Amino acid sequence: MAGRVGGLGAGALLAGVLAAAAWPLQVLEVADLDEGRLLAALPAQSFQLRYRHSLYRGYVWEHFSVSGTHLTLEAVEAEREAAGEYYGLLHRVVRTDGRYRVSAATAPVEELVVRATALGERALLLGRFALPLYPDREGHRIRIRVVRGPVAQVALRLLAGHLGKRVRP
């Protein structure tokens, strides 16, 4: 009887592990397309891209929202008013808390591809976390997208990326 109870416990544990592995997960994937390497997997939530504008020299923050597997540019903030106007968005630039902000609400996209440059100092901001995109990747194409799948599949993909295997396009 004791062996049977232990077997039931192990079966229940295995069933729990399998159920957890199949649980759907959604992450924000940041990959270097030129090296084929995964740079980060972050919670799939609203984020910002911050960079130094090459023409106006001030910092710019692009605010993105996440809906399902789509990314939408919601607003652009800049240290300099001209940098906010540079994007030609339909809404007017408003000064808020020492920055210039313009609403965007552009069409959703499935991924963003940006260039990493030391001049632009581009970084992905998620809450208080900052991921610099430019060190050791001058001119590289960085892809940001939402990846969805079972926990086990996403975990294997992340593990492969950290071990240096190519990230599937």
Side-chain angles (χ1 to χ4, degrees):
M1 179 86 166
R4 186 171 183 200
V5 171
L8 289 175
L13 178 62
L14 179 59
V17 168
L18 291 175
W23 194 265
L25 181 66
Q26 188 168 300
V27 297
L28 195 61
E29 177 190 77
V30 184
D32 183 328
L33 294 178
D34 294 310
E35 288 186 359
R37 292 186 60 92
L38 179 70
L39 302 178
L42 306 166
Q45 63 187 44
S46 296
F47 65 93
Q48 298 172 28
L49 285 179
R50 181 195 65 206
Y51 56 93
R52 184 172 299 281
H53 197 285
S54 61
L55 183 61
Y56 297 106
R57 298 289 182 226
Y59 279 110
V60 174
W61 295 262
E62 295 177 341
H63 297 261
F64 290 89
S65 64
V66 175
S67 179
T69 58
H70 290 89
L71 307 170
T72 303
L73 177 63
E74 298 290 344
V76 175
E77 283 185 306
E79 289 180 327
R80 299 194 176 22
E81 184 174 14
E85 293 171 345
Y86 174 83
Y87 295 90
L89 298 169
L90 297 178
H91 296 79
R92 69 183 185 89
V93 177
V94 178
R95 186 174 171 91
T96 308
D97 298 325
R99 292 185 188 168
Y100 296 91
R101 183 180 180 94
V102 60
S103 296
T106 60
V109 296
E110 291 186 359
E111 66 181 30
L112 302 171
V113 177
V114 298
R115 288 277 178 193
T117 64
L119 174 65
E121 300 176 13
R122 195 177 306 271
L124 186 144
L125 309 176
L126 189 70
R128 293 177 181 249
F129 174 76
L131 175 67
L133 302 177
Y134 58 91
D136 303 322
R137 290 184 274 287
E138 184 67 30
H140 287 208
R141 295 168 301 137
I142 307 299
R143 179 182 61 207
I144 302 164
R145 69 178 180 178
V146 177
V147 176
R148 178 186 286 177
V151 166
Q153 177 188 14
V154 173
L156 287 173
R157 181 180 179 81
L158 299 179
L159 182 60
H162 284 295
L163 294 176
K165 295 182 181 173
R166 294 196 59 80
V167 175
R168 193 172 29 136

